[in-house]
Amino acid sequence: MPDFRDSLVAEFEKIFRKRPDHVFFSPGRVNLIGEHIDYNGGKVMPCAISLGTYLAVSKNTEKMFRFHCLNFPETAGLHLQNSYSKSGKAWFNYPLGIINHFLKQGYPISGLDLLFYGDLPIGAGLSSSASIEVLTAFALNELFQLNVPRIEIAVLSKKVENEFIGVNCGIMDQFAVTFGQRDKAILLNCDSLQYELLPFATGDYVLAIINTNKARTLADSKYNERFAECGAALKALKKELAANNLCDIDLETFQSARHLIKDEVLEKRALHVISENSRVHEAAQALTQSQLTKFGQLMHDSHQSLKDLYEVSGIELDTIVEFCKDYEYCIGARMTGAGFGGCAIALIKNDKVDDFINQVTVYYGRKIGYAPSVFVSNIGDGVKEVQL
Ligand code: GLA
């Protein structure tokens, strides 16, 4: 997108009175299937999307980190220190957490002028946070020639989200935005970090993203609650089963051991995780064999389980999926990401997209009282440098 790049560079010149040395891009992601699985050591199937976050950046000699973002009014100018701590809820905590990590690891980094811009809806469950974390880590690696391997960029970005930001997320988002490839779904084993790229061949169908536009205010605390519940369920099962993660247990074994979990809620959480993990295996097979109807059915089943067993959906996401199930030209739909608002995804017949957008907007608006945002997404590349 040359026009946009030009205006990012022009803004950078206005703010910092020089040209940026580099522009980098990092995508957002959707997860096709395998939800709330990554922190339970199973398989997930995300892909990078074409929307994401851009960074125009230059080194400075004043040993300052100067943060600007076209999406937010807050700015910051911090002198180089040995470490930093989180500053309230400001957006620049994400790049600051990454810088803090590099400094604490002893990497020789120094002052930078940074201008960010994102075209991802922020906080909508499309991994705007992983996108900016990975983007910053990738940029530091390139600018200071640190030779940090790609896998380490994903892993350290997750660590920053866990320890600096305070969300116990798994590795899926940071991995997807680091390793995404155009038109490919990533089948990732979140325990071993081994992955395969599967062609995202959906024939006459395109991937629509439907943003509920619901503010995800409680998302982080609810997410951490689910994380803790899975830990408690695993602890109960470990009394008789040898497992490091819930996803080490197959459905059959779980059925014969579920009595070990005395709490009904924890039992439901574990059942979601273990059945969802098995759906990912089926979905990978269906996608590879071009069985799109089967793939779509698995998406629906996944949503149902997230709604009833894991309880991370909500009226907004359910309304969208309910519409999609009845819509003749949709073969599968589900919430994507952590839930509690955010986005749903749907596979829609390519010549019916406009009709779908009109109809789902009316249906959702009538029930929820405001409009969703709907767009068709391409599956894009992971983090990269953009030529100036
Ligand atoms: C968020 C987290 C991921 C993953 C999903 C749910 O996006 O950041 O690590 O757990 O929720 O699948």
Side-chain angles (χ1 to χ4, degrees), residues 29 31 34-39 44 125-127 129-130 158 161 167-174 216 223 306 334-339:
R29 67 96 192 88
N31 185 20
E35 218 62 85
H36 289 277
I37 288 296
D38 56 355
Y39 54 87
V44 294
L126 299 177
S127 290
S129 49
K158 169 193 180 277
E161 177 91 30
V167 178
N168 283 321
C169 68
I171 188 71
M172 174 172 76
D173 303 349
Q174 289 80 6
R216 297 167 69 234
Y223 185 91
L306 288 156
R334 58 183 289 277
M335 54 159 274
T336 190

Side-chain angles (χ1 to χ4, degrees), residues 126-249:
L126 299 177
S127 290
S128 49
S129 49
S131 179
I132 190 169
E133 287 156 0
V134 166
L135 179 64
T136 311
F138 186 83
L140 288 175
N141 193 32
E142 296 296 309
L143 287 163
F144 296 101
Q145 301 186 350
L146 304 174
N147 292 319
V148 177
R150 247 178 205 257
I151 184 67
E152 185 51 29
I153 287 186
V155 170
L156 76 84
S157 298
K158 169 193 180 277
K159 196 172 152 70
V160 167
E161 177 91 30
N162 296 160
E163 293 170 12
F164 195 85
I165 303 295
V167 178
N168 283 321
C169 68
I171 188 71
M172 174 172 76
D173 303 349
Q174 289 80 6
F175 195 98
V177 308
T178 307
F179 285 94
Q181 261 187 38
R182 198 172 164 177
D183 298 330
K184 298 281 185 350
I186 306 170
L187 180 62
L188 169 68
N189 179 325
C190 299
D191 190 29
S192 66
L193 300 187
Q194 298 291 315
Y195 72 103
E196 265 175 77
L197 293 170
L198 307 179
F200 186 64
T202 49
D204 295 342
Y205 290 83
V206 292
L207 185 71
I209 299 181
I210 308 101
N211 184 353
T212 59
N213 288 329
K214 183 197 174 195
R216 297 167 69 234
T217 37
L218 286 174
D220 288 356
S221 59
K222 286 281 172 201
Y223 185 91
N224 286 345
E225 186 182 294
R226 292 296 176 278
F227 178 87
E229 287 167 347
C230 289
L234 176 63
K235 193 169 167 209
L237 290 166
K238 272 177 145 179
K239 281 186 210 129
E240 284 181 19
L241 302 181
N244 292 324
N245 294 300
L246 278 181
C247 292
D248 295 342
I249 302 166

